[in-house]
Amino acid sequence: MIVRFPMIKKTVLLLLYILIAVTSASGQLRLPQLVSDGMVLQRDSDITIWGWASPGDDISIEFRGDTYNQTADDNGNWSVEMNRQDAGGPFTMHISSDENETIRLENILVGDVWVASGQSNMELPMYRVRPLYEDEMQQADDPGIRYFDAPKTYDFNTSHEDFGSGSWQQITPETIVNFSATAWFFAKSIRERYDVPVGIILSALGGSPAESWMSEEALKEFPSHYNELQMFKDGTLIKEIEEADQKRSSSWYGQLQKADAGYSNPESPWYDPATDYRGWDEMNVPGYWVSEPLGPVNGVVWFQKEIDINEEHAGKPATLELGRIVDADSVFVNGTFVGTTSYQYPPRWYDVPAGVLMKGVNDIVVRVINSSGRGGFIPDKPYELIIENDTLDLKGTWNYKLGAEMPPLAGQTFVRWKPGGLFNAMISPALNYDVKGVIWYQGESNTDSPEEYSKLFPALIKDWRNSWDQQELPFLYVQLTNFMGPKDQPSESNWAELREAQRQTLEVPNTGMAVTIDIGEWNDIHPLNKKDVGERLARSAMKVAYDEDDVIHSGPVFDEADVREGKVVLSFTSKGSGLERKGEQLHGFSIAGPEGEFRWARATIEGNQVIVWHPEIDCPSKVRYAWADNPDDANLYNVEGLPASPFQVEIDR
């Protein structure tokens, strides 16, 4: 059947056809997410600008008075190398094609660009460390520091050409809250030292092991990781795993909700102030209920505490700090819900709205869900209610009652941490972007295999240098901080083993290490002090990346050992103005005889060396320093105040 249109309809159709044709032919010029408004370009480097257009399009770039031309290849890819640029800005860039398309990029700076990568301690944003840096955050307003936060995703099959989203953010009191704390203090130090703009490409993911950040080619040296990458190229397998994890988790939490006696009566949940708490058991908070008559129970346990509020504080807003809780919690004040946290690591900071607190007795109720291991309240954390300038201590006796007991919930499979996936999706899109160097904070997730890390980590550095085509790319990293409870006697430690692997990686040229065994927290894998971490990384950068030979960039690092009359004489590099101890005696050294059993050693500083011995060991075979998960008493520094790196050495005889 032939449909005949009146002339006016034919005209409309013709115009529509022309519009579609023009639209399909235009709009082909495209830039990667990194090449965008507010970007920071690397100074004194052959800057690469790249993108996509229609095949054969002529591309023109205008920047700082120069014009650069290129033609898109048969696949529409184009890339332009611009002249080396001096630091400065802001500038404007025009990118156009011969199809009359033009993209105008504004507010461009030229300075130093650093990639910040690793796991959660690099990812940790400023709002998580707010208690230490409240003033810092309120005053942060520097247009010369920018950051680009790479989307957190993975791909086991394809190296991505671009990030799926993202934009350059200028530092303000509003934007700094989401900026990596470590990267902020690093960037701030570099900017203050060299008076140039600083750009940070933040590509980090909590919990990620080193192998997830390596390319498929590099993983061939590690067959188990390479084979696992091949296995996870199967999207069906990933779907099956994720569906099974979700089904198991949903079932567990669904059963928990139904079984929880605290919710059995919808008219009178246990957070209702009318609840009679007098029959509940008592427990000292902070602490774990495994130590109580309740024992090693998983499921949900309810806690309640009464506090007295005076007339002055009644009705006023407050901040409730509940340290850290294992694993998840929901918190109520006088029956009003004030907040929840779904996993154990974040600090519990909850706002109590105005009008909730009343004069006299007030109830705080915490519903704690623990899916496996020990549930409870982490010790040595703040547990308090802050009202204006007054603080009420909440530690001490709380009432508690079991809401529901459940079998342990099996952990999920973190697919995104599998080998190669993060490199493809979170590093590969940045490989055309010229950078000054890398700062890296990772290792906690590889402590199960520290011996492998001694090979894996140098291979990662080599891989990134090959991928960026910068064989001397400065690579600065943070040595694992002190964590977990200290030990009374010398013992084996995977954390110490991994620190040793990190120390040995200094043998790789153009690397630097920030030692942090003095600024961790025994009860928190995410210590708040990120200022010293960032500034120590910056010291390393001054030496490694900026060639300042005179800068004291590190604390003492073991160099060599000699034996004299049964005593071990240790020499160090990075002594600075000299060695010193913090405290009356030098601690943290252990020594072993021929049988290999370690004992705490005596140690003293003589000149720029440390003498280590034990009166009952005549033939020392090994010496260790700060060899523990948490070497809390290790106190060897240089005069500049930088701590010595942990190490172990076998004595040649």
Side-chain angles (χ1 to χ4, degrees), residues 451-494:
E451 184 176 351
E452 180 191 58
Y453 199 79
S454 66
K455 302 179 182 64
L456 199 69
F457 188 34
L460 181 148
I461 296 172
K462 179 182 178 181
D463 184 28
W464 284 28
R465 287 174 170 174
N466 288 339
S467 298
W468 254 286
D469 195 22
Q470 291 181 244
Q471 297 306 313
E472 297 182 355
L473 181 71
F475 201 105
L476 317 173
Y477 55 93
V478 181
Q479 191 182 50
L480 290 187
T481 189
N482 50 311
F483 178 53
M484 297 179 283
K487 300 288 180 64
D488 292 334
Q489 298 299 321
S491 60
E492 299 304 314
S493 164
N494 277 16

mmCIF file of all heavy atoms in Angstrom, residues 451-494:
data_model
loop_
_atom_site.group_PDB
_atom_site.id
_atom_site.type_symbol
_atom_site.label_atom_id
_atom_site.label_comp_id
_atom_site.label_asym_id
_atom_site.label_seq_id
_atom_site.Cartn_x
_atom_site.Cartn_y
_atom_site.Cartn_z
ATOM 1 N N GLU A 451 55.641 -13.067 51.425
ATOM 2 C CA GLU A 451 56.771 -13.479 50.590
ATOM 3 C C GLU A 451 56.469 -13.218 49.122
ATOM 4 O O GLU A 451 57.329 -12.750 48.365
ATOM 5 C CB GLU A 451 57.083 -14.963 50.818
ATOM 6 C CG GLU A 451 58.306 -15.428 50.049
ATOM 7 C CD GLU A 451 58.668 -16.871 50.349
ATOM 8 O OE1 GLU A 451 58.067 -17.468 51.282
ATOM 9 O OE2 GLU A 451 59.561 -17.407 49.670
ATOM 10 N N GLU A 452 55.240 -13.506 48.705
ATOM 11 C CA GLU A 452 54.857 -13.222 47.326
ATOM 12 C C GLU A 452 54.906 -11.723 47.048
ATOM 13 O O GLU A 452 55.292 -11.290 45.957
ATOM 14 C CB GLU A 452 53.455 -13.755 47.044
ATOM 15 C CG GLU A 452 53.005 -13.487 45.613
ATOM 16 C CD GLU A 452 51.533 -13.780 45.396
ATOM 17 O OE1 GLU A 452 50.691 -13.184 46.103
ATOM 18 O OE2 GLU A 452 51.216 -14.589 44.510
ATOM 19 N N TYR A 453 54.517 -10.918 48.035
ATOM 20 C CA TYR A 453 54.484 -9.461 47.849
ATOM 21 C C TYR A 453 55.869 -8.913 47.523
ATOM 22 O O TYR A 453 55.990 -7.897 46.824
ATOM 23 C CB TYR A 453 53.940 -8.788 49.102
ATOM 24 C CG TYR A 453 53.437 -7.374 48.881
ATOM 25 C CD1 TYR A 453 52.185 -7.144 48.320
ATOM 26 C CD2 TYR A 453 54.200 -6.264 49.259
ATOM 27 C CE1 TYR A 453 51.706 -5.860 48.135
ATOM 28 C CE2 TYR A 453 53.729 -4.971 49.075
ATOM 29 C CZ TYR A 453 52.483 -4.779 48.514
ATOM 30 O OH TYR A 453 52.014 -3.494 48.320
ATOM 31 N N SER A 454 56.906 -9.570 48.010
ATOM 32 C CA SER A 454 58.270 -9.113 47.721
ATOM 33 C C SER A 454 58.579 -9.184 46.235
ATOM 34 O O SER A 454 59.477 -8.497 45.749
ATOM 35 C CB SER A 454 59.290 -9.932 48.516
ATOM 36 O OG SER A 454 59.303 -11.274 48.077
ATOM 37 N N LYS A 455 57.851 -10.004 45.499
ATOM 38 C CA LYS A 455 58.001 -10.088 44.039
ATOM 39 C C LYS A 455 56.874 -9.346 43.332
ATOM 40 O O LYS A 455 57.075 -8.718 42.293
ATOM 41 C CB LYS A 455 58.015 -11.557 43.603
ATOM 42 C CG LYS A 455 59.105 -12.400 44.253
ATOM 43 C CD LYS A 455 59.025 -13.846 43.784
ATOM 44 C CE LYS A 455 60.089 -14.709 44.456
ATOM 45 N NZ LYS A 455 59.905 -14.794 45.931
ATOM 46 N N LEU A 456 55.680 -9.413 43.919
ATOM 47 C CA LEU A 456 54.497 -8.826 43.298
ATOM 48 C C LEU A 456 54.601 -7.304 43.227
ATOM 49 O O LEU A 456 54.305 -6.688 42.185
ATOM 50 C CB LEU A 456 53.264 -9.239 44.111
ATOM 51 C CG LEU A 456 51.889 -9.142 43.453
ATOM 52 C CD1 LEU A 456 51.764 -10.176 42.344
ATOM 53 C CD2 LEU A 456 50.802 -9.368 44.502
ATOM 54 N N PHE A 457 55.036 -6.691 44.313
ATOM 55 C CA PHE A 457 55.069 -5.235 44.358
ATOM 56 C C PHE A 457 56.080 -4.635 43.371
ATOM 57 O O PHE A 457 55.739 -3.720 42.615
ATOM 58 C CB PHE A 457 55.337 -4.776 45.786
ATOM 59 C CG PHE A 457 55.220 -3.295 46.007
ATOM 60 C CD1 PHE A 457 54.297 -2.530 45.305
ATOM 61 C CD2 PHE A 457 56.033 -2.646 46.933
ATOM 62 C CE1 PHE A 457 54.185 -1.161 45.510
ATOM 63 C CE2 PHE A 457 55.935 -1.288 47.149
ATOM 64 C CZ PHE A 457 55.016 -0.539 46.431
ATOM 65 N N PRO A 458 57.325 -5.119 43.325
ATOM 66 C CA PRO A 458 58.231 -4.592 42.295
ATOM 67 C C PRO A 458 57.718 -4.834 40.878
ATOM 68 O O PRO A 458 57.927 -4.005 39.988
ATOM 69 C CB PRO A 458 59.539 -5.357 42.554
ATOM 70 C CG PRO A 458 59.472 -5.746 43.992
ATOM 71 C CD PRO A 458 58.028 -6.039 44.246
ATOM 72 N N ALA A 459 57.038 -5.969 40.677
ATOM 73 C CA ALA A 459 56.473 -6.245 39.353
ATOM 74 C C ALA A 459 55.383 -5.240 39.009
ATOM 75 O O ALA A 459 55.241 -4.830 37.845
ATOM 76 C CB ALA A 459 55.922 -7.671 39.308
ATOM 77 N N LEU A 460 54.592 -4.835 39.991
ATOM 78 C CA LEU A 460 53.557 -3.825 39.766
ATOM 79 C C LEU A 460 54.190 -2.494 39.356
ATOM 80 O O LEU A 460 53.723 -1.835 38.413
ATOM 81 C CB LEU A 460 52.713 -3.660 41.028
ATOM 82 C CG LEU A 460 51.558 -2.661 40.967
ATOM 83 C CD1 LEU A 460 50.413 -3.127 41.868
ATOM 84 C CD2 LEU A 460 51.978 -1.250 41.394
ATOM 85 N N ILE A 461 55.247 -2.101 40.057
ATOM 86 C CA ILE A 461 55.917 -0.841 39.720
ATOM 87 C C ILE A 461 56.451 -0.889 38.288
ATOM 88 O O ILE A 461 56.274 0.057 37.504
ATOM 89 C CB ILE A 461 57.046 -0.562 40.724
ATOM 90 C CG1 ILE A 461 56.464 -0.354 42.129
ATOM 91 C CG2 ILE A 461 57.867 0.656 40.293
ATOM 92 C CD1 ILE A 461 57.510 -0.262 43.220
ATOM 93 N N LYS A 462 57.086 -1.986 37.939
ATOM 94 C CA LYS A 462 57.603 -2.150 36.569
ATOM 95 C C LYS A 462 56.469 -2.103 35.557
ATOM 96 O O LYS A 462 56.587 -1.483 34.481
ATOM 97 C CB LYS A 462 58.362 -3.477 36.466
ATOM 98 C CG LYS A 462 58.917 -3.763 35.081
ATOM 99 C CD LYS A 462 59.624 -5.120 35.054
ATOM 100 C CE LYS A 462 60.148 -5.439 33.657
ATOM 101 N NZ LYS A 462 60.813 -6.775 33.626
ATOM 102 N N ASP A 463 55.354 -2.739 35.891
ATOM 103 C CA ASP A 463 54.193 -2.785 35.002
ATOM 104 C C ASP A 463 53.658 -1.382 34.742
ATOM 105 O O ASP A 463 53.378 -1.009 33.592
ATOM 106 C CB ASP A 463 53.118 -3.663 35.644
ATOM 107 C CG ASP A 463 51.903 -3.870 34.767
ATOM 108 O OD1 ASP A 463 52.046 -3.828 33.531
ATOM 109 O OD2 ASP A 463 50.801 -4.089 35.316
ATOM 110 N N TRP A 464 53.520 -0.597 35.792
ATOM 111 C CA TRP A 464 52.997 0.753 35.608
ATOM 112 C C TRP A 464 53.972 1.624 34.820
ATOM 113 O O TRP A 464 53.563 2.441 33.993
ATOM 114 C CB TRP A 464 52.705 1.384 36.974
ATOM 115 C CG TRP A 464 51.439 0.859 37.597
ATOM 116 C CD1 TRP A 464 50.866 -0.368 37.402
ATOM 117 C CD2 TRP A 464 50.590 1.546 38.516
ATOM 118 N NE1 TRP A 464 49.727 -0.493 38.154
ATOM 119 C CE2 TRP A 464 49.531 0.664 38.853
ATOM 120 C CE3 TRP A 464 50.632 2.796 39.113
ATOM 121 C CZ2 TRP A 464 48.515 1.017 39.740
ATOM 122 C CZ3 TRP A 464 49.621 3.157 40.008
ATOM 123 C CH2 TRP A 464 48.580 2.268 40.309
ATOM 124 N N ARG A 465 55.242 1.458 35.066
ATOM 125 C CA ARG A 465 56.224 2.245 34.315
ATOM 126 C C ARG A 465 56.194 1.877 32.833
ATOM 127 O O ARG A 465 56.286 2.763 31.966
ATOM 128 C CB ARG A 465 57.616 2.031 34.906
ATOM 129 C CG ARG A 465 57.797 2.729 36.250
ATOM 130 C CD ARG A 465 59.113 2.409 36.921
ATOM 131 N NE ARG A 465 59.337 3.289 38.082
ATOM 132 C CZ ARG A 465 60.341 3.178 38.921
ATOM 133 N NH1 ARG A 465 61.254 2.218 38.749
ATOM 134 N NH2 ARG A 465 60.462 4.018 39.941
ATOM 135 N N ASN A 466 56.059 0.604 32.554
ATOM 136 C CA ASN A 466 55.935 0.188 31.152
ATOM 137 C C ASN A 466 54.650 0.728 30.536
ATOM 138 O O ASN A 466 54.637 1.177 29.382
ATOM 139 C CB ASN A 466 55.951 -1.340 31.050
ATOM 140 C CG ASN A 466 57.316 -1.934 31.327
ATOM 141 O OD1 ASN A 466 58.340 -1.250 31.225
ATOM 142 N ND2 ASN A 466 57.351 -3.203 31.687
ATOM 143 N N SER A 467 53.577 0.674 31.298
ATOM 144 C CA SER A 467 52.278 1.088 30.770
ATOM 145 C C SER A 467 52.232 2.589 30.510
ATOM 146 O O SER A 467 51.614 3.043 29.546
ATOM 147 C CB SER A 467 51.166 0.695 31.751
ATOM 148 O OG SER A 467 51.116 -0.710 31.930
ATOM 149 N N TRP A 468 52.859 3.385 31.354
ATOM 150 C CA TRP A 468 52.919 4.837 31.140
ATOM 151 C C TRP A 468 54.073 5.230 30.208
ATOM 152 O O TRP A 468 54.204 6.394 29.846
ATOM 153 C CB TRP A 468 53.070 5.567 32.477
ATOM 154 C CG TRP A 468 51.813 6.245 32.930
ATOM 155 C CD1 TRP A 468 51.255 7.393 32.425
ATOM 156 C CD2 TRP A 468 50.938 5.825 33.987
ATOM 157 N NE1 TRP A 468 50.098 7.705 33.099
ATOM 158 C CE2 TRP A 468 49.877 6.769 34.064
ATOM 159 C CE3 TRP A 468 50.945 4.758 34.868
ATOM 160 C CZ2 TRP A 468 48.839 6.665 34.991
ATOM 161 C CZ3 TRP A 468 49.917 4.655 35.796
ATOM 162 C CH2 TRP A 468 48.880 5.590 35.855
ATOM 163 N N ASP A 469 54.890 4.231 29.856
ATOM 164 C CA ASP A 469 56.074 4.478 29.028
ATOM 165 C C ASP A 469 56.971 5.524 29.687
ATOM 166 O O ASP A 469 57.518 6.414 29.041
ATOM 167 C CB ASP A 469 55.683 4.926 27.614
ATOM 168 C CG ASP A 469 56.872 4.832 26.644
ATOM 169 O OD1 ASP A 469 57.815 4.065 26.930
ATOM 170 O OD2 ASP A 469 56.849 5.530 25.611
ATOM 171 N N GLN A 470 57.111 5.396 31.020
ATOM 172 C CA GLN A 470 58.019 6.243 31.793
ATOM 173 C C GLN A 470 58.833 5.313 32.691
ATOM 174 O O GLN A 470 58.410 4.970 33.792
ATOM 175 C CB GLN A 470 57.245 7.253 32.644
ATOM 176 C CG GLN A 470 56.526 8.335 31.854
ATOM 177 C CD GLN A 470 55.801 9.326 32.759
ATOM 178 O OE1 GLN A 470 54.583 9.430 32.733
ATOM 179 N NE2 GLN A 470 56.558 10.060 33.560
ATOM 180 N N GLN A 471 59.995 4.904 32.221
ATOM 181 C CA GLN A 471 60.774 3.897 32.930
ATOM 182 C C GLN A 471 61.345 4.401 34.251
ATOM 183 O O GLN A 471 61.738 3.599 35.104
ATOM 184 C CB GLN A 471 61.908 3.392 32.027
ATOM 185 C CG GLN A 471 61.414 2.697 30.766
ATOM 186 C CD GLN A 471 60.444 1.563 31.085
ATOM 187 O OE1 GLN A 471 60.698 0.735 31.962
ATOM 188 N NE2 GLN A 471 59.328 1.520 30.361
ATOM 189 N N GLU A 472 61.391 5.702 34.451
ATOM 190 C CA GLU A 472 61.884 6.254 35.705
ATOM 191 C C GLU A 472 60.767 6.935 36.493
ATOM 192 O O GLU A 472 61.023 7.784 37.342
ATOM 193 C CB GLU A 472 63.024 7.240 35.432
ATOM 194 C CG GLU A 472 64.237 6.579 34.782
ATOM 195 C CD GLU A 472 65.380 7.540 34.569
ATOM 196 O OE1 GLU A 472 65.194 8.750 34.834
ATOM 197 O OE2 GLU A 472 66.464 7.096 34.149
ATOM 198 N N LEU A 473 59.544 6.568 36.223
ATOM 199 C CA LEU A 473 58.397 7.158 36.904
ATOM 200 C C LEU A 473 58.575 7.055 38.416
ATOM 201 O O LEU A 473 58.675 5.960 38.967
ATOM 202 C CB LEU A 473 57.120 6.428 36.485
ATOM 203 C CG LEU A 473 55.802 6.929 37.087
ATOM 204 C CD1 LEU A 473 55.434 8.289 36.490
ATOM 205 C CD2 LEU A 473 54.680 5.925 36.842
ATOM 206 N N PRO A 474 58.644 8.181 39.134
ATOM 207 C CA PRO A 474 58.776 8.115 40.599
ATOM 208 C C PRO A 474 57.597 7.361 41.221
ATOM 209 O O PRO A 474 56.437 7.638 40.897
ATOM 210 C CB PRO A 474 58.782 9.588 41.012
ATOM 211 C CG PRO A 474 59.287 10.319 39.808
ATOM 212 C CD PRO A 474 58.711 9.572 38.637
ATOM 213 N N PHE A 475 57.910 6.440 42.107
ATOM 214 C CA PHE A 475 56.885 5.623 42.749
ATOM 215 C C PHE A 475 57.141 5.662 44.253
ATOM 216 O O PHE A 475 58.120 5.111 44.753
ATOM 217 C CB PHE A 475 56.942 4.186 42.233
ATOM 218 C CG PHE A 475 55.665 3.416 42.433
ATOM 219 C CD1 PHE A 475 54.821 3.161 41.360
ATOM 220 C CD2 PHE A 475 55.300 2.948 43.686
ATOM 221 C CE1 PHE A 475 53.645 2.448 41.533
ATOM 222 C CE2 PHE A 475 54.129 2.245 43.877
ATOM 223 C CZ PHE A 475 53.291 1.985 42.786
ATOM 224 N N LEU A 476 56.265 6.345 44.967
ATOM 225 C CA LEU A 476 56.424 6.567 46.403
ATOM 226 C C LEU A 476 55.319 5.825 47.133
ATOM 227 O O LEU A 476 54.157 5.867 46.727
ATOM 228 C CB LEU A 476 56.354 8.055 46.719
ATOM 229 C CG LEU A 476 57.137 8.962 45.760
ATOM 230 C CD1 LEU A 476 56.864 10.414 46.050
ATOM 231 C CD2 LEU A 476 58.628 8.657 45.838
ATOM 232 N N TYR A 477 55.654 5.158 48.212
ATOM 233 C CA TYR A 477 54.662 4.310 48.860
ATOM 234 C C TYR A 477 54.777 4.389 50.375
ATOM 235 O O TYR A 477 55.793 4.818 50.936
ATOM 236 C CB TYR A 477 54.794 2.861 48.384
ATOM 237 C CG TYR A 477 56.162 2.255 48.554
ATOM 238 C CD1 TYR A 477 56.496 1.527 49.690
ATOM 239 C CD2 TYR A 477 57.137 2.400 47.554
ATOM 240 C CE1 TYR A 477 57.752 0.956 49.843
ATOM 241 C CE2 TYR A 477 58.395 1.839 47.694
ATOM 242 C CZ TYR A 477 58.693 1.118 48.842
ATOM 243 O OH TYR A 477 59.944 0.563 49.001
ATOM 244 N N VAL A 478 53.691 3.982 51.030
ATOM 245 C CA VAL A 478 53.598 4.003 52.480
ATOM 246 C C VAL A 478 53.836 2.599 53.012
ATOM 247 O O VAL A 478 53.176 1.646 52.592
ATOM 248 C CB VAL A 478 52.214 4.503 52.938
ATOM 249 C CG1 VAL A 478 52.139 4.550 54.466
ATOM 250 C CG2 VAL A 478 51.907 5.867 52.333
ATOM 251 N N GLN A 479 54.782 2.473 53.911
ATOM 252 C CA GLN A 479 54.987 1.199 54.583
ATOM 253 C C GLN A 479 53.856 0.986 55.594
ATOM 254 O O GLN A 479 53.356 1.946 56.188
ATOM 255 C CB GLN A 479 56.334 1.199 55.298
ATOM 256 C CG GLN A 479 56.773 -0.165 55.805
ATOM 257 C CD GLN A 479 58.097 -0.087 56.542
ATOM 258 O OE1 GLN A 479 58.264 0.747 57.424
ATOM 259 N NE2 GLN A 479 59.043 -0.945 56.187
ATOM 260 N N LEU A 480 53.448 -0.263 55.781
ATOM 261 C CA LEU A 480 52.330 -0.548 56.677
ATOM 262 C C LEU A 480 52.550 0.061 58.058
ATOM 263 O O LEU A 480 53.631 -0.028 58.636
ATOM 264 C CB LEU A 480 52.140 -2.054 56.837
ATOM 265 C CG LEU A 480 51.610 -2.838 55.631
ATOM 266 C CD1 LEU A 480 51.323 -4.271 56.047
ATOM 267 C CD2 LEU A 480 50.364 -2.194 55.048
ATOM 268 N N THR A 481 51.487 0.641 58.590
ATOM 269 C CA THR A 481 51.544 1.244 59.911
ATOM 270 C C THR A 481 51.445 0.175 60.994
ATOM 271 O O THR A 481 51.268 -1.012 60.701
ATOM 272 C CB THR A 481 50.413 2.278 60.051
ATOM 273 O OG1 THR A 481 50.591 3.006 61.253
ATOM 274 C CG2 THR A 481 49.065 1.594 60.073
ATOM 275 N N ASN A 482 51.568 0.601 62.234
ATOM 276 C CA ASN A 482 51.405 -0.334 63.352
ATOM 277 C C ASN A 482 49.920 -0.603 63.579
ATOM 278 O O ASN A 482 49.096 0.303 63.542
ATOM 279 C CB ASN A 482 52.054 0.224 64.616
ATOM 280 C CG ASN A 482 51.630 1.651 64.927
ATOM 281 O OD1 ASN A 482 51.669 2.520 64.056
ATOM 282 N ND2 ASN A 482 51.236 1.902 66.163
ATOM 283 N N PHE A 483 49.582 -1.867 63.833
ATOM 284 C CA PHE A 483 48.179 -2.272 63.951
ATOM 285 C C PHE A 483 48.094 -3.549 64.780
ATOM 286 O O PHE A 483 49.017 -4.348 64.797
ATOM 287 C CB PHE A 483 47.586 -2.491 62.555
ATOM 288 C CG PHE A 483 46.159 -2.950 62.542
ATOM 289 C CD1 PHE A 483 45.170 -2.254 63.227
ATOM 290 C CD2 PHE A 483 45.798 -4.086 61.841
ATOM 291 C CE1 PHE A 483 43.854 -2.681 63.219
ATOM 292 C CE2 PHE A 483 44.481 -4.528 61.825
ATOM 293 C CZ PHE A 483 43.507 -3.826 62.516
ATOM 294 N N MET A 484 46.957 -3.713 65.454
ATOM 295 C CA MET A 484 46.657 -4.844 66.330
ATOM 296 C C MET A 484 47.417 -4.714 67.654
ATOM 297 O O MET A 484 48.222 -3.813 67.858
ATOM 298 C CB MET A 484 46.926 -6.180 65.632
ATOM 299 C CG MET A 484 46.023 -6.391 64.421
ATOM 300 S SD MET A 484 46.300 -7.946 63.537
ATOM 301 C CE MET A 484 47.799 -7.574 62.618
ATOM 302 N N GLY A 485 47.127 -5.639 68.559
ATOM 303 C CA GLY A 485 47.696 -5.550 69.894
ATOM 304 C C GLY A 485 49.185 -5.838 69.915
ATOM 305 O O GLY A 485 49.669 -6.708 69.191
ATOM 306 N N PRO A 486 49.933 -5.123 70.761
ATOM 307 C CA PRO A 486 51.372 -5.394 70.880
ATOM 308 C C PRO A 486 51.608 -6.723 71.591
ATOM 309 O O PRO A 486 50.759 -7.215 72.328
ATOM 310 C CB PRO A 486 51.888 -4.216 71.711
ATOM 311 C CG PRO A 486 50.697 -3.741 72.472
ATOM 312 C CD PRO A 486 49.501 -4.006 71.612
ATOM 313 N N LYS A 487 52.791 -7.310 71.369
ATOM 314 C CA LYS A 487 53.172 -8.592 71.985
ATOM 315 C C LYS A 487 54.274 -8.370 73.019
ATOM 316 O O LYS A 487 55.146 -7.516 72.852
ATOM 317 C CB LYS A 487 53.668 -9.561 70.901
ATOM 318 C CG LYS A 487 52.639 -9.876 69.819
ATOM 319 C CD LYS A 487 51.529 -10.758 70.338
ATOM 320 C CE LYS A 487 50.507 -11.074 69.259
ATOM 321 N NZ LYS A 487 51.050 -11.851 68.146
ATOM 322 N N ASP A 488 54.215 -9.184 74.079
ATOM 323 C CA ASP A 488 55.217 -9.058 75.139
ATOM 324 C C ASP A 488 56.574 -9.637 74.732
ATOM 325 O O ASP A 488 57.610 -9.178 75.209
ATOM 326 C CB ASP A 488 54.736 -9.770 76.408
ATOM 327 C CG ASP A 488 53.542 -9.075 77.036
ATOM 328 O OD1 ASP A 488 53.397 -7.865 76.827
ATOM 329 O OD2 ASP A 488 52.753 -9.765 77.716
ATOM 330 N N GLN A 489 56.534 -10.648 73.877
ATOM 331 C CA GLN A 489 57.755 -11.340 73.485
ATOM 332 C C GLN A 489 57.942 -11.275 71.971
ATOM 333 O O GLN A 489 56.966 -11.128 71.222
ATOM 334 C CB GLN A 489 57.710 -12.803 73.947
ATOM 335 C CG GLN A 489 57.632 -12.980 75.452
ATOM 336 C CD GLN A 489 58.837 -12.399 76.169
ATOM 337 O OE1 GLN A 489 59.967 -12.507 75.686
ATOM 338 N NE2 GLN A 489 58.610 -11.780 77.327
ATOM 339 N N PRO A 490 59.183 -11.405 71.500
ATOM 340 C CA PRO A 490 59.404 -11.441 70.054
ATOM 341 C C PRO A 490 58.598 -12.575 69.420
ATOM 342 O O PRO A 490 58.496 -13.669 69.983
ATOM 343 C CB PRO A 490 60.910 -11.689 69.929
ATOM 344 C CG PRO A 490 61.486 -11.219 71.219
ATOM 345 C CD PRO A 490 60.443 -11.503 72.260
ATOM 346 N N SER A 491 58.005 -12.302 68.275
ATOM 347 C CA SER A 491 57.169 -13.308 67.622
ATOM 348 C C SER A 491 57.183 -13.082 66.122
ATOM 349 O O SER A 491 57.651 -12.050 65.626
ATOM 350 C CB SER A 491 55.738 -13.242 68.159
ATOM 351 O OG SER A 491 55.176 -11.964 67.907
ATOM 352 N N GLU A 492 56.655 -14.073 65.410
ATOM 353 C CA GLU A 492 56.544 -13.943 63.964
ATOM 354 C C GLU A 492 55.366 -13.029 63.628
ATOM 355 O O GLU A 492 54.406 -12.906 64.399
ATOM 356 C CB GLU A 492 56.353 -15.311 63.317
ATOM 357 C CG GLU A 492 57.506 -16.268 63.571
ATOM 358 C CD GLU A 492 58.843 -15.700 63.126
ATOM 359 O OE1 GLU A 492 58.912 -15.160 62.006
ATOM 360 O OE2 GLU A 492 59.807 -15.770 63.906
ATOM 361 N N SER A 493 55.426 -12.395 62.472
ATOM 362 C CA SER A 493 54.396 -11.437 62.093
ATOM 363 C C SER A 493 54.338 -11.289 60.584
ATOM 364 O O SER A 493 55.337 -10.926 59.959
ATOM 365 C CB SER A 493 54.680 -10.069 62.730
ATOM 366 O OG SER A 493 53.940 -9.043 62.103
ATOM 367 N N ASN A 494 53.173 -11.562 60.005
ATOM 368 C CA ASN A 494 52.997 -11.335 58.574
ATOM 369 C C ASN A 494 53.076 -9.857 58.226
ATOM 370 O O ASN A 494 53.546 -9.486 57.149
ATOM 371 C CB ASN A 494 51.661 -11.908 58.111
ATOM 372 C CG ASN A 494 51.729 -13.398 57.824
ATOM 373 O OD1 ASN A 494 52.674 -14.069 58.244
ATOM 374 N ND2 ASN A 494 50.751 -13.911 57.128
#
